[in-house]
Each structure stands twice: as structure tokens, then as C-alpha cells.
């Protein structure tokens, strides 16, 4: 898993994924190497993190540690 800082959160993603961050808009797009969009994460005006999954992926949220992990749903089938 790769670790990316996103404001006061840590985002963990599969090695096969990459991110594009727009700090001004406070948004992050998560994509596969085939340029298929997997999710969008953003901070709203109340500094709440919001997630919109767009593909077959699994999100795990650890609110205490402020970590969001994103994996392909295949991970659940394999483990």
C-alpha cells in the first residue's frame, strides 16, 4: 500500500493506483493506470472528509488515526 497525505488524513491505496490532488479545490481523484476513475475524496466547507467511490473498491476508515485505506474489491475475495 502507498501512503498519501491529504490535509489532516492519511490515504492508503493499492500499489496499482495513483492520485491527482487539487489542493485549491481540496479534492483528490484516485485512478488506475488505465486511467479508470476509482474514487474522489474531498474536504467540504466544514472540514469533513467526503468520499465518492466510482468503481469496485473497498474503503476502510480509521477515524481515530485519520487513515482511509482504499483497495480493489478483489482484495476481499482473495483474503
Amino acid at each position: 500500500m502507498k501512503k498519501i497525505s491529504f490535509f489532516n488524513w492519511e490515504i492508503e491505496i493499492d500499489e496499482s493506483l495513483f492520485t491527482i490532488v487539487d489542493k485549491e479545490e481540496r479534492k483528490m481523484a484516485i485512478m488506475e493506470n488505465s486511467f479508470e476513475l476509482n474514487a474522489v475524496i474531498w474536504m467540504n466547507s466544514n472540514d469533513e472528509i467526503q468520499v465518492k467511490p466510482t468503481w469496485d473498491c473497498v474503503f476502510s476508515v480509521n477515524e481515530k488515526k485519520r487513515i482511509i485505506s482504499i483497495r480493489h474489491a478483489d482484495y476481499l475475495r482473495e483474503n
Side-chain angles (χ1 to χ4, degrees):
M1 300 284 283
K2 293 188 276 189
K3 297 180 183 198
I4 294 110
S5 291
F6 184 68
F7 296 92
N8 56 349
W9 284 81
E10 183 176 291
I11 311 297
E12 296 179 336
I13 60 173
D14 279 338
E15 293 293 329
S16 63
L17 301 176
F18 67 96
T19 61
I20 299 171
V21 177
D22 183 335
K23 290 187 178 183
E24 190 173 310
E25 292 293 321
R26 299 169 27 129
K27 292 183 179 180
M28 173 191 292
I30 299 162
M31 304 179 77
E32 291 186 57
N33 289 333
S34 62
F35 294 105
E36 187 159 344
L37 184 66
N38 280 256
V40 177
I41 298 174
W42 67 94
M43 299 292 288
N44 68 14
S45 59
N46 295 322
D47 285 334
E48 298 167 329
I49 197 159
Q50 297 185 318
V51 179
K52 169 63 174 98
T54 59
W55 193 238
D56 196 15
C57 54
V58 176
F59 287 78
S60 302
V61 178
N62 183 325
E63 187 175 1
K64 288 183 181 181
K65 292 184 178 180
R66 300 183 83 79
I67 298 173
I68 296 174
S69 299
I70 303 166
R71 293 184 173 96
H72 287 284
D74 291 342
Y75 173 81
L76 293 177
R77 291 186 270 280
E78 296 167 1
N79 294 301

